[in-house]
């Protein structure tokens, strides 16, 4: 089994199309197709269900995809480790983050990292915390900055960075704007604007309202912070958000209300890394800029299977 066969396989699996995969890998489609057939013969299983419009992974293909990502990540880590011994730091570090975490200002951090280690390519992906943690588990991200309530998925370790309160935002003319604090019962009949289900803040809110036995109506579900703030500003609903979101300049027109219930949720931002992944010099160098621990590759908080 050749590494390029695995690279071609991953490209087809992600593009769901042989032509697009070949363009992405900058090879002839015939050569890419031949490599996939060679891989299937070697494994003794069909990896794709082919149709005229797109291709889908078979059960064997789905199993291989996870291991293919891990294998290529291990190869990259091995190359980086040799380069580090030679006094070089090169390779790639793939970073994921949820929007507006506030606890960490990622662009300046990445700029400082690039200035310090110009031989390392930085890849950045945005997404919800659940999705990002899963990408870490699969080996597609080296590190992710997330806000996950509860335990991380199996195979992922969380290293806490900071904790922030959750706050209520409402329009200045909303009845709740006359108050500085509010309890859960006062929110029973409100319409909410919230993030999509894989965002950490949304999961935290859903758990909190369920814990106190309140049903919550969320007719407006968005996938970015600025749209959420605009919806609240237009009086379309209220929102329970992490404190960094409430501090954004675009939230200045809104009224901020403290949640007075002792059981009000708290928003924890953490660094997510693979639990059992081989050491990556580039990843460890990035973590040293973020964490105070001298050995970021061996965090003290270990993962357990999620619920």
């Amino acid at each position: 089994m050749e590494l390029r066969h695995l690279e071609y396989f991953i490209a087809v699996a992600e593009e769901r199309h042989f032509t697009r995969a070949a363009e992405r890998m900058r090879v002839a489609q015939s050569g890419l197709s031949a490599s996939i057939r060679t891989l299937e013969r070697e494994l003794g299983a069909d990896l794709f269900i082919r149709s005229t419009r797109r291709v889908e992974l078979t059960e064997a293909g789905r199993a291989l995809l996870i291991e293919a990502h891990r294998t290529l990540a291990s190869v990259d880590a091995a190359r980086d480790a040799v380069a580090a011994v030679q006094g070089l730091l090169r390779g790639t570090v793939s970073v994921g983050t949820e929007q507006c975490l506030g606890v960490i200002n990622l662009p300046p951090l990445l700029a400082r990292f690039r200035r310090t280690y110009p031989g390392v390519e930085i890849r950045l992906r945005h997404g919800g915390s659940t999705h990002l943690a899963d990408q870490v588990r699969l080996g597609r991200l080296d590190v992710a900055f997330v806000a996950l309530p509860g335990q991380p998925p199996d195979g992922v370790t969380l290293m806490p960075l900071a904790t922030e309160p959750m706050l209520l935002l409402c329009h200045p003319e909303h009845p709740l704007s006359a108050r500085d604090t509010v309890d859960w019962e006062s929110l029973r009949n409100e319409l909410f604007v919230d993030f999509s289900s894989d965002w950490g803040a949304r999961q935290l809110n859903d758990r909190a309202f369920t814990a106190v036995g309140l049903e919550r109506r969320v007719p407006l579900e968005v996938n970015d912070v600025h749209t959420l703030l605009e919806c609240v500003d237009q009086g379309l609903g209220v929102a329970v958000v992490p404190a960094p979101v409430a501090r954004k300049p675009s939230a200045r027109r809104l009224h901020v209300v403290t949640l007075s219930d002792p059981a009000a949720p708290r928003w924890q931002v953490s660094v997510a890394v693979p639990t059992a992944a081989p050491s990556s010099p580039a990843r460890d160098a990035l973590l040293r800029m973020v964490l105070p621990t001298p050995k970021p590759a061996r965090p003290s908080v270990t993962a357990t299977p999620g619920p």
Side-chain angles (χ1 to χ4, degrees), residues 3-291:
L3 292 178
R4 65 184 176 90
H5 292 166
L6 293 180
E7 293 172 341
Y8 294 167
F9 164 73
I10 290 174
V12 176
E14 292 180 347
E15 297 292 338
R16 296 292 197 269
H17 199 278
F18 277 84
T19 301
R20 289 197 297 270
E23 292 172 350
R24 167 174 156 180
M25 300 305 297
R26 298 180 180 178
V27 297
Q29 183 177 336
S30 58
L32 181 140
S33 298
S35 293
I36 297 298
R37 288 194 297 270
T38 298
L39 188 58
E40 289 177 322
R41 283 197 302 270
E42 185 171 343
L43 294 173
D46 290 335
L47 301 174
F48 296 104
I49 301 171
R50 296 158 171 86
S51 70
T52 55
R53 292 188 176 181
R54 60 185 297 170
V55 295
E56 298 290 343
L57 285 166
T58 62
E59 182 113 4
R62 286 192 291 272
L64 178 61
L65 184 59
I66 295 174
E67 296 305 324
H69 277 292
R70 289 175 177 167
T71 298
L72 294 181
S74 295
V75 170
D76 288 341
R79 289 171 176 158
D80 294 347
V82 172
V85 169
Q86 295 172 330
L88 305 172
L89 191 65
R90 65 184 188 190
T92 300
V93 60
S94 298
V95 182
T97 186
E98 188 171 288
Q99 280 189 42
C100 297
L101 293 178
V103 169
I104 185 166
N105 192 352
L106 198 55
L109 171 67
L110 296 181
R112 180 159 61 96
F113 181 86
R114 175 174 286 174
R115 289 193 300 269
T116 307
Y117 305 107
V120 178
E121 178 186 355
I122 301 171
R123 296 176 182 171
L124 178 63
R125 298 290 182 269
H126 269 196
S129 288
T130 300
H131 173 72
L132 294 174
D134 195 51
Q135 295 295 291
V136 170
R137 178 183 67 84
L138 294 172
R140 298 175 186 174
L141 289 175
D142 297 307
V143 59
F145 297 94
V146 299
L148 280 176
Q151 295 290 344
D154 192 19
V156 175
T157 294
L158 293 183
M159 294 176 285
L161 289 177
T163 302
E164 294 267 13
M166 298 289 285
L167 302 169
L168 180 75
L169 293 181
C170 63
H171 189 276
E173 296 180 3
H174 191 282
L176 291 176
S177 66
R179 302 172 61 171
D180 293 324
T181 63
V182 67
D183 57 21
W184 291 115
E185 188 60 33
S186 302
L187 303 178
R188 177 181 292 274
N189 297 317
E190 295 296 333
L191 295 178
F192 285 85
V193 186
D194 211 332
F195 301 111
S196 57
S197 60
D198 67 334
W199 283 52
R202 173 61 182 272
Q203 295 179 24
L204 195 61
N205 285 334
D206 287 346
R207 290 187 181 202
F209 277 85
T210 299
V212 296
L214 289 177
E215 292 188 10
R216 190 169 70 113
R217 292 181 292 166
V218 189
L220 287 89
E221 191 173 277
V222 302
N223 206 34
D224 72 277
V225 170
H226 298 291
T227 301
L228 179 142
L229 295 175
E230 180 67 16
C231 287
V232 176
D233 188 45
Q234 293 297 320
L236 294 173
V238 301
V240 177
V241 300
V245 173
R247 291 195 292 263
K248 292 192 71 62
S250 50
R252 289 173 182 166
R253 285 169 40 87
L254 305 178
H255 187 71
V256 180
V257 185
T258 301
L259 299 172
S260 60
D261 195 305
R266 300 211 31 110
W267 190 65
Q268 181 170 285
V269 177
S270 303
V271 182
V273 296
T275 300
S279 178
S280 164
R283 181 192 65 204
D284 292 351
L286 177 64
L287 291 178
R288 281 194 293 271
M289 291 184 172
V290 179
L291 300 166

